């Protein structure tokens, strides 16, 4: 599976998770302990927008903060979020389908990073937070073994920085032969045995 295919599949995971999230439960806790279900849903939605901007080499808009509601969801009834997110997911997919999106450096989070590293990071982000949303919603996430291996590689590349930055919790122990997605979740500080 090439990088663009993996990112495209991870967008499908994110969009499906948000489609399956019931706005009536947005105040419920999520496995991403700093966020409620509604907050992790918005965070995931914002990630789709930031990934599109990175692929297109567009700077973040002045006043944007990663802790805010996704800008395109501001003022939008929560019942309409899924449709907005689906449209954003398609825009992000189109942006990363261009091979040039993976080349050179791009701006992300206020600094320059290799574009391929951003694509890998966002592939992992979309699946891990998609799992958060699905689990908090009482659903299970559907990830192919190939995508799970790609996500594991992305989380492994980020794990130390994520723990130092406070956006990954302590690693959860799982068997060495656990499925790749379980190992990725555990490495990101989530307990893959948590039931929906």
């Amino acid at each position: 599976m090439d990088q663009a295919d993996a990112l495209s599949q991870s967008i499908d995971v994110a969009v499906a998770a948000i489609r399956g999230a019931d706005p009536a439960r947005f105040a419920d806790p999520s496995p991403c302990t700093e966020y409620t279900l509604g907050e992790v849903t918005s965070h995931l939605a914002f990630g789709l927008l930031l990934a599109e901007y990175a692929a297109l080499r567009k700077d973040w808009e002045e006043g944007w903060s990663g802790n805010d509601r996704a800008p395109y969801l501001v003022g939008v009834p929560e019942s309409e979020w899924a449709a907005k997110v689906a449209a954003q997911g398609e825009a992000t997919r189109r942006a990363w389908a261009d091979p040039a999106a993976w080349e050179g450096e791009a701006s992300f989070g206020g600094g320059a990073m290799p574009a391929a590293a951003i694509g890998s990071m966002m592939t992992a982000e979309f699946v891990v937070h998609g799992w958060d949303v699905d689990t908090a919603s009482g659903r299970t996430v559907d990830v192919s073994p190939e995508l799970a291996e790609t996500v594991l590689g992305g989380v492994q590349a980020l794990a130390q920085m994520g723990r130092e930055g406070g956006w990954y919790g302590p690693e959860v122990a799982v068997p060495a032969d656990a499925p790749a997605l379980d190992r990725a979740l555990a490495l990101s500080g989530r307990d893959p045995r948590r039931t929906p």
Side-chain angles (χ1 to χ4, degrees), residues 8-34:
S8 179
Q9 287 187 27
S10 75
I11 290 169
D12 290 340
V13 170
V15 170
I18 292 174
R19 282 188 187 276
D22 180 358
R25 297 183 59 183
F26 275 5
D28 289 359
S30 81
C32 188
T33 56
E34 295 184 12

Side-chain angles (χ1 to χ4, degrees), residues 34-173:
E34 295 184 12
Y35 293 126
T36 64
L37 172 57
E39 289 166 343
V40 76
T41 297
S42 179
H43 178 74
L44 182 53
F46 207 158
L48 288 164
L49 179 61
L50 298 180
E52 179 196 12
Y53 269 54
L56 298 176
R57 307 305 196 264
K58 291 172 66 173
D59 290 330
W60 289 19
E61 301 290 338
E62 189 174 330
W64 278 6
S65 165
N67 295 323
D68 293 338
R69 178 169 288 181
Y72 62 94
L73 298 180
V74 172
V76 175
E78 292 174 344
S79 61
E80 298 175 18
W81 282 17
K84 291 278 192 183
V85 167
Q88 179 58 54
E90 289 308 310
T92 303
R93 188 191 322 274
R94 282 192 303 273
W96 284 95
D98 181 351
W102 297 87
E103 298 170 359
E105 291 198 331
S107 175
F108 196 82
M113 291 176 61
I118 295 170
S120 173
M121 176 176 69
M122 296 314 291
T123 298
E125 177 91 346
F126 295 153
V127 171
V128 169
H129 282 315
W131 180 86
D132 288 333
V133 171
D134 272 338
T135 300
S137 298
R139 296 161 41 93
T140 55
V141 70
D142 183 21
V143 176
S144 71
E146 296 82 10
L147 179 57
E149 288 289 347
T150 301
V151 169
L152 176 59
V155 172
Q156 288 170 332
L158 295 170
Q160 182 175 345
M161 181 173 62
R163 262 183 273 293
E164 290 170 359
W167 32 277
Y168 277 179
E171 182 175 358
V172 175

